[in-house]
């Protein structure tokens, strides 16, 4: 029986998962999203095109791959329709290559409004949510009030929609949030008609049957391990399990079906939204990294906070996910820097540690660093022949994580990717 390989982010999201899934996709028969929703923005660049996907799996641009939106995802029909419209120029046979789980939870317009109302009420303690309705939709899932995509074909769908919307409106009233719904609902029901044109299935059967037939499946993570609802920097996290375990519950596959776990990380660190970020750089250094890496959110356009690679955090994520191979992204961004740092341990009071404390706030946390120098980017041609300082950087991370790095990305295009021999 074939297995499910997982590709996921080991930091605070935006590691470059879209590029890598698109690059790896030809090796797989099925590519499936298992959690998150339109808060994700997976950027793919190929043949001079740049395209951002939010909910549709990143295997969509390859002929012959089945893309699955799994039950663990929260799907916004309006964003879905927009994504479908955006794919029109590529002339893809979407209805044949994309299916949706009937158990995928649905984001309705008032979920987005609730997200805004809750964030506003938090004041300066806000999470920095993407405001796409993710939290309130997972909240309704856990409260057993949610609507699922399969419900759109039930005779009482409109009634159940109205019930949930009215419940949300009561909450919004308490938050003094003015809900203007006419236009939103028009878009929503137009979008529902588009969703109905797709196959809405018990995709857990489809995926398990594919595995029995020997087909390979790639599970595409969204956000990153440090945003995981259980293990991330709570409460500044997203609302789903972003770690490998989420692929089991989010697709309906058993743990023993999991094969490789590809952990993807940037050669440095970024974060959007609020919350602790121990190695964050401020002032000119932070600005330099943001400019060099063009670090602006793919979903919201917000400037990303930038900082050095954090090995205790990377190791924590590698442990939680059982990472078998590491992929290092955006190595080219560091090339021109005179001095590059890696945090290789924390100090809490007098105690040195590699364990992440319950709260990651930098006020209580000392950082220990090792320093590296840059390299000439145009000398980066193959994995086996890296410039000396980059080679040192790669080996240092491999040694400290006890995990091999199998892929190094040195630019946004599919072609700017170095693979270890035999990968
Ligand atoms: P939410 O998931 O939109 O509620 O956002 C919760 C937190 O996760 C915020 O700090 C967001 O900036 C962050 N976040 C959510 N999705 C992504 C993502 O795809 N990339 C990076 N950060 C994200």
């Amino acid at each position: 029986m074939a297995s499910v390989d997982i590709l996921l982010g080991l930091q605070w999201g935006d590691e470059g998962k879209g590029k890598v899934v698109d690059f790896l996709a030809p090796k797989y028969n099925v590519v499936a999203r298992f959690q998150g929703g339109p808060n994700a923005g997976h950027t793919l660049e190929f043949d001079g095109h740049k395209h951002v996907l939010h909910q549709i799996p990143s295997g969509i641009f390859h002929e012959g791959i089945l893309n699955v939106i799994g039950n663990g995802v929260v799907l916004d029909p309006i964003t879905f329709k927009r994504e479908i419209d955006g794919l029109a120029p590529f002339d893809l046979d979407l209805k044949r290559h994309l299916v949706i789980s009937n158990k995928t939870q649905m984001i309705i317009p008032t979920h987005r409004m609730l997200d805004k109302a809750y964030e506003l009420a938090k004041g300066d303690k806000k999470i920095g949510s993407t405001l796409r309705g993710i939290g309130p939709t997972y909240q309704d899932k856990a409260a057993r009030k949610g609507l699922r995509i399969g419900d759109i074909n039930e005779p009482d769908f409109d009634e159940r929609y109205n019930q949930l919307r009215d419940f949300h409106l009561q909450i919004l009233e308490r938050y003094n949030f003015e809900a203007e719904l006419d236009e939103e609902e028009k878009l929503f029901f137009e979008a529902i008609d588009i969703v109905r044109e797709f196959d809405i299935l018990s995709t857990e059967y489809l995926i398990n049957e594919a595995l029995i037939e020997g087909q390979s499946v790639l599970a595409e993570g969204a956000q990153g391990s440090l945003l995981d609802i259980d293990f991330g920097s709570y409460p500044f996290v997203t609302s789903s399990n972003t770690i490998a375990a989420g692929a089991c519950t989010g697709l309906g596959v058993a743990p023993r079906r999991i094969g490789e776990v590809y952990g993807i990380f940037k050669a440095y660190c970024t974060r959007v939204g609020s919350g602790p970020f121990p190695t964050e750089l401020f002032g000119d250094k932070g600005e330099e990294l943001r400019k060099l890496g063009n670090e602006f959110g793919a979903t919201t356009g917000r400037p990303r906070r930038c900082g050095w690679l954090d090995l205790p955090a990377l190791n924590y994520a590698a442990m939680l996910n059982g990472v078998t191979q590491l992929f290092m992204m955006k190595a080219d961004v560091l090339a021109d820097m005179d001095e590059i740092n890696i945090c290789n341990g924390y100090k809490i009071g007098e105690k040195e540690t590699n364990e992440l404390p319950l709260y990651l706030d930098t006020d209580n946390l000392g950082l220990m660093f090792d320093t590296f120098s840059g390299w000439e980017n145009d000398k980066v041609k193959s994995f086996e022949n890296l410039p000396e300082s980059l080679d040192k950087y790669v080996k240092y991370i491999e040694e400290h994580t006890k995990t091999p790095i199998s892929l190094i990305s040195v630019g946004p295009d599919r072609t700017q990717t170095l693979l270890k021999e035999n990968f």
Side-chain angles (χ1 to χ4, degrees), residues 12-14 39-40 127-130 134 223 227 237-238 272-273 302:
W12 281 285
D14 307 316
N39 48 352
I127 308 290
S129 163
T130 60
I134 310 296
Q223 291 81 53
L227 288 170
V237 293
T238 190
V272 259
R302 292 180 290 180

Side-chain angles (χ1 to χ4, degrees), residues 77 100-108 140-141 144-161 163-164 188-189 192 195-196 200-201:
I100 309 171
S101 163
N102 50 14
K103 299 175 187 66
T104 301
Q105 294 280 326
M106 193 189 321
I107 303 177
I108 69 170
D140 278 346
K141 175 182 182 178
R144 289 148 294 171
K145 287 184 192 313
L147 287 170
R148 300 183 294 177
I149 292 297
D151 295 335
I152 65 177
N153 292 325
E154 295 294 311
D156 61 349
F157 173 66
D158 285 9
E159 201 179 305
R160 285 164 65 185
Y161 167 81
Q163 225 173 36
L164 188 62
F188 178 74
F189 284 105
I192 290 290
V195 178
R196 281 198 182 104
I200 298 170
L201 310 166

Side-chain angles (χ1 to χ4, degrees), residues 77-152:
I78 298 179
T79 316
F80 180 78
K81 179 176 180 297
R82 248 184 241 133
E83 287 196 75
I84 297 295
D85 292 345
L87 289 170
F90 296 95
D91 205 19
L92 306 167
D93 189 354
L94 291 174
K95 284 173 199 134
R96 205 155 69 87
H97 291 128
L98 178 62
V99 299
I100 309 171
S101 163
N102 50 14
K103 299 175 187 66
T104 301
Q105 294 280 326
M106 193 189 321
I107 303 177
I108 69 170
T110 40
H111 279 130
R112 267 184 279 118
M113 295 175 186
L114 284 171
D115 219 357
K116 284 193 190 123
Y118 294 152
E119 275 287 77
L120 272 173
K122 286 197 175 98
D124 57 7
K125 293 205 171 51
K126 68 174 187 192
I127 308 290
S129 163
T130 60
L131 304 178
R132 298 300 192 263
I134 310 296
T137 307
Y138 278 117
Q139 223 174 316
D140 278 346
K141 175 182 182 178
R144 289 148 294 171
K145 287 184 192 313
L147 287 170
R148 300 183 294 177
I149 292 297
D151 295 335
I152 65 177

Side-chain angles (χ1 to χ4, degrees), residues 379-397:
K379 295 223 168 106
V380 182
K381 301 269 187 256
S382 76
F383 207 115
E384 280 61 43
N385 207 0
L386 297 174
E388 198 184 328
S389 349
L390 175 57
D391 193 49
K392 216 169 130 195
Y393 199 76
V394 169
K395 295 222 165 84
Y396 182 91
I397 297 168

